[in-house]
Amino acid sequence: MYQDIEILWGEGRARILGNNYAQILTLSLDKSSGSGFRSRHQFLFGKIDIKLKLIPGNSAGTVTAYYLSSLGYAHDEIDFEFLGNLSGDPYTVHTNIFTQGKGNREEQFHLWFDPTRNFHTYSILWNPLSIIFLVDGVPIREFKNRESLGIPFPKNQAMRVYSSLWNADDWATRGGLVKTNWTQAPFTAIYRDFNAHQACVWTSSSFSCSSKYNPWLRYSLDAIGRARLRWVRRNYMIYSYCSDTHRFPQGLPPECSFPS
Ligand SMILES: *[C@@H]1O[C@H](CO)[C@@H](O)[C@H](O)[C@H]1NC(C)=O
């Protein structure tokens, strides 16, 4: 963790704990503010995993975000956001993809387990063929490269990993109806096993990455992967922009003509 990650903001609310062999990172949120970290490196393609145990109990109003972003003008971004909920009510996993500054590609899911009881692995696989979001190795969303059909795909800007925990009780839980209960603060999410060894590190002076040595760079879902993806989407998807015809009265975005 020390080698790969730097605390970005939040004073003492973000901490890396442990020794060289076993480390965890914690982000917390209290009434004053949240906290966040980022990866030291920038990446261009690869598979990046982290294990995360979300805020237990009443986490309503909180958002734990974990994403790749190039930041800046016309940024690319691949987002996981975990929207908290009242005790016993399910977290929502919110996902989005920005290409050249344009997002509006939200999809939301519930999970098939309680993400606050144990660590689970959340992965972003990003290669020139597609972007795949995975939870414990199960694909929940795939965004294919269809540039040949004029649909933009992020592939020219390196991205860093970011994560932050903040208060978003104006919109996060049931659309903002349920507010953060500050008597439960501080709220803490715990991370471990950040793994970017299967991603290509990009620096201004060097970039070399070969699919010969990294099979994820040419990975695409096989029949089993596609069946699992369909299982998740049939049973756990609660929102897709591609079904939101009210939002796009002029017609759905072009990638929506190719259902997963
Ligand atoms: C919270 O729980 C309610 C009730 O089960 C559910 O409809 C909602 O999707 C959950 N998530 C959020 C972020 O509101």
Side-chain angles (χ1 to χ4, degrees), residues 9 27 34-37 63-67 162-166 191:
W9 60 287
L27 290 186
S35 50
F37 67 81
V63 173
T64 307
Y66 178 74
Y67 57 104
Y162 293 86
S163 183
S164 52
L165 171 57
W166 79 90
Y191 300 76

Side-chain angles (χ1 to χ4, degrees), residues 232-245:
V232 172
R233 299 173 73 79
R234 198 176 315 123
N235 295 294
Y236 297 98
M237 189 163 77
I238 55 171
Y239 175 83
S240 171
Y241 71 115
C242 281
S243 312
D244 198 343
T245 47

Side-chain angles (χ1 to χ4, degrees), residues 83-85 89-92 110 172-175 238:
L83 315 184
N85 217 333
D89 280 344
Y91 261 83
T92 292
H110 284 157
T173 306
R174 298 192 202 189
I238 55 171

Side-chain angles (χ1 to χ4, degrees), residues 13-192:
R13 287 182 299 277
R15 290 196 289 172
I16 299 176
L17 308 166
N19 55 34
N20 282 339
Y21 302 100
Q23 288 159 17
I24 59 165
L25 184 154
T26 60
L27 290 186
S28 50
L29 164 71
D30 61 28
K31 215 169 170 181
S32 66
S33 187
S35 50
F37 67 81
R38 72 172 186 192
S39 59
R40 291 187 191 275
H41 290 121
Q42 290 186 279
F43 304 101
L44 190 64
F45 305 132
K47 183 166 176 277
I48 298 175
D49 310 318
I50 202 157
K51 292 200 171 102
L52 168 58
K53 190 169 176 288
L54 290 164
I55 301 160
N58 181 354
S59 58
T62 70
V63 173
T64 307
Y66 178 74
Y67 57 104
L68 285 173
S69 183
S70 63
L71 301 187
Y73 174 74
H75 71 294
D76 293 333
E77 191 169 303
I78 305 171
D79 290 323
F80 264 120
E81 287 183 6
F82 303 92
L83 315 184
N85 217 333
L86 293 168
S87 296
D89 280 344
Y91 261 83
T92 292
V93 181
H94 176 97
T95 63
N96 203 355
I97 294 165
F98 285 74
T99 52
Q100 292 147 39
K102 222 172 142 281
N104 296 328
R105 298 193 179 92
E106 297 86 353
E107 287 190 349
Q108 295 186 337
F109 305 84
H110 284 157
L111 292 164
W112 50 96
F113 52 83
D114 176 354
T116 71
R117 282 182 70 93
N118 294 108
F119 286 93
H120 291 271
T121 305
Y122 301 90
S123 312
I124 294 171
L125 169 59
W126 171 38
N127 69 27
L129 303 173
S130 58
I131 292 166
I132 304 174
F133 294 77
L134 302 118
V135 176
D136 290 336
V138 178
I140 64 167
R141 176 172 189 180
E142 181 183 33
F143 183 77
K144 283 199 177 139
N145 184 342
R146 292 199 168 91
E147 281 185 304
S148 60
L149 301 171
I151 298 164
F153 184 84
K155 70 168 204 312
N156 298 318
Q157 305 189 77
M159 301 201 255
R160 247 183 245 275
V161 176
Y162 293 86
S163 183
S164 52
L165 171 57
W166 79 90
N167 177 43
D169 67 0
D170 51 335
W171 62 273
T173 306
R174 298 192 202 189
L177 288 178
V178 185
K179 299 298 176 194
T180 303
N181 181 347
W182 293 109
T183 66
Q184 311 284 310
F187 301 98
T188 302
I190 311 174
Y191 300 76
R192 65 178 170 89

Side-chain angles (χ1 to χ4, degrees), residues 190-204:
I190 311 174
Y191 300 76
R192 65 178 170 89
D193 300 343
F194 176 75
N195 179 3
H197 297 136
Q198 295 157 311
C200 307
V201 173
W202 185 92
T203 71
S204 49

